[in-house]
Amino acid sequence: QVNLVESGGGSVQTGGSLRLSCTASEFTAATTHMGWFRQVPGKKREGVAAIDSVGSTSYADSVRGRFTISKDTAKNTLYLQMNNLKFEDTAMYYCAADPGGIVLRFAEMGWPQPRYWGQGTQVTVSS
């Protein structure tokens, strides 16, 4: 079992930036693959970005070029740097981890969700 705790959410105007953090109780095999997802009420959870065991990253088309995922293994922390935020980025953001890999489009494809989740941090973007 691994505990994930997100922080860094808040309210920002369009064009602004935020950095989300996700601290894991420990970096183990369970956190080999990690990612960020987001969800708004009434919609499926949407994959935002993922990073694998060797640092390879993947992004949703809607955030590519604006968001950057990274992790600091010394601090057991995953980050999501979000720049040029748009109104449509407003959502609850969740950190996830899975030893087998992260599929950003799991909800859309009907695949199993990542095994471990944080409680979420709210991001609100206003004009």
Side-chain angles (χ1 to χ4, degrees):
Q1 185 70 24
V2 60
N3 292 318
L4 303 173
V5 179
E6 302 96 335
S7 61
S11 297
V12 64
Q13 292 187 324
T14 53
S17 298
L18 284 173
R19 188 177 79 157
L20 305 183
S21 299
C22 170
T23 301
S25 52
E26 55 183 339
F27 268 16
T28 65
T31 53
T32 300
H33 303 270
M34 300 187 74
W36 289 97
F37 294 78
R38 64 188 183 187
Q39 189 170 22
V40 297
K43 291 191 175 182
K44 292 182 179 179
R45 195 162 291 189
E46 172 192 24
V48 175
I51 187 166
D52 69 10
S53 58
V54 295
S56 296
T57 57
S58 58
Y59 296 92
D61 289 342
S62 59
V63 306
R64 187 175 291 110
R66 300 188 296 121
F67 290 11
T68 302
I69 188 171
S70 62
K71 68 180 175 181
D72 186 334
T73 55
K75 297 181 178 180
N76 291 351
T77 301
L78 179 74
Y79 300 101
L80 184 69
Q81 177 66 44
M82 305 186 295
N83 298 328
N84 191 21
L85 282 160
K86 303 178 180 181
F87 175 77
E88 51 264 38
D89 295 319
T90 297
M92 184 71 78
Y93 283 71
Y94 298 90
C95 169
D98 194 299
I102 295 289
V103 178
L104 291 180
R105 297 170 59 194
F106 78 89
E108 176 184 347
M109 298 166 67
W111 287 20
Q113 65 178 7
R115 187 174 304 180
Y116 304 106
W117 292 90
Q119 294 301 306
T121 185
Q122 178 68 37
V123 171
T124 302
V125 185
S126 58
S127 58

